[in-house]
Amino acid sequence: MSNVRAVILDLDGTLLCSNDAHAQAFLEAGREMGLNVDFDAIRSLIGKGGDKLIPEAFGFSSQSEPGQRLRRRKKEIFMARYLEQLAPTPGARDLLLRLRDEGIRRVLATSSGESSVDRLLKQAGVEDLIEEVVSSSDVQASKPDPDIVKVAMEKVEVPAEQVVMLGDTPYDVEAAARAGIRVIALRSGGWKDRELRGAAAIYDDPADLLEHYAASLLG
């Protein structure tokens, strides 16, 4: 029988099929500012917060004037053009219902900003199944730094060996490892298994994990 008492959940790509949309919104915001950027370069960084993505993809600090303007415009584009078109990842709500029914705590740890989280969770159809939220607004550094995961661990107040993280990017895997907890990775974010190396297990999406729940770390 599993000893897991809490699951720390990523949001984008894990509970909501939103990674491509975030990348496209960054691309469009950058082009409006006259920046020549590549979709694939941005897409490979989705999962990191803007504090890391913007300097790596665009070449200037997220706290600079253009960095702040880019973040604002990206958010506007994402919310206006893409959010309402997004679907939950397969099985997202059913998996969280299973975790709730098993008495497992559910804490969100996302690189998205606090002002976006409520709408993202609502679009994923799981806003009523998350007990605590930790966003990039709560820490100094986003994933793959472990700060967000560590704050989430403080909220669940159970030993690290009784916590599992669920994520979809290499940055989730690294952040969990640096925080000292196991991670289950999902392919629903678009990464290959080799890029998710270090995860304790890899499944297609929440539905696949739920189908194999009894044999998983959660079972």
Side-chain angles (χ1 to χ4, degrees):
M1 186 173 180
S2 173
N3 70 339
V4 173
R5 295 172 54 198
V7 173
I8 294 174
L9 299 135
D10 176 57
L11 176 49
D12 293 296
T14 299
L15 301 175
L16 185 67
C17 297
S18 51
N19 287 346
D20 285 350
H22 280 295
Q24 187 63 32
F26 265 120
L27 182 73
E28 293 173 20
R31 286 179 174 171
E32 284 184 6
M33 294 172 61
L35 303 171
N36 184 21
V37 288
D38 176 71
F39 175 85
D40 289 338
I42 297 172
R43 180 62 176 80
S44 69
L45 298 171
I46 297 297
K48 296 185 177 185
D51 61 316
K52 292 186 173 64
L53 186 151
I54 289 173
E56 291 183 41
F58 296 92
F60 45 78
S61 168
S62 64
Q63 298 304 313
S64 65
E65 189 279 329
Q68 293 184 45
R69 183 153 45 102
L70 177 65
R71 292 182 81 153
R72 287 194 300 270
R73 185 58 184 141
K74 178 265 174 180
K75 179 181 176 181
E76 291 170 355
I77 291 171
F78 177 82
M79 292 297 187
R81 300 178 187 174
Y82 294 106
L83 178 62
E84 293 185 0
Q85 303 174 29
L86 301 178
T89 54
R93 182 170 180 84
D94 288 340
L95 177 61
L96 266 62
L97 285 169
R98 177 70 177 269
L99 295 175
R100 184 197 65 185
D101 292 347
E102 297 281 346
I104 296 174
R105 298 204 62 196
R106 304 160 310 282
V107 178
L108 195 74
T110 175
S111 289
S112 292
E114 180 182 11
S115 60
S116 304
V117 169
D118 287 348
R119 291 185 63 185
L120 290 167
L121 286 173
K122 184 176 181 180
Q123 191 67 25
V126 296
E127 71 274 20
D128 58 323
L129 297 173
I130 297 295
E131 297 175 274
E132 300 275 1
V133 173
V134 183
S135 73
S136 60
S137 305
D138 298 311
V139 296
Q140 292 296 314
S142 65
K143 303 170 192 171
D145 284 324
D147 304 34
I148 291 173
V149 179
K150 287 183 175 180
V151 173
M153 290 171 66
E154 292 172 3
K155 288 183 178 293
V156 298
E157 298 181 321
V158 300
E161 60 269 21
Q162 296 180 341
V163 182
V164 169
M165 183 168 180
L166 185 62
D168 67 289
T169 75
Y171 316 120
D172 294 316
V173 175
E174 182 179 344
R178 291 171 66 182
I181 63 172
R182 297 167 294 174
V183 59
I184 296 172
L186 303 177
R187 302 182 183 97
S188 48
W191 272 265
K192 304 296 184 184
D193 287 15
R194 65 180 179 273
E195 297 165 318
L196 300 170
R197 187 171 53 250
I202 304 175
Y203 298 90
D204 288 340
D205 48 39
D208 187 30
L209 173 55
L210 186 58
E211 183 178 348
H212 298 92
Y213 190 95
S216 75
L217 292 176
L218 305 175

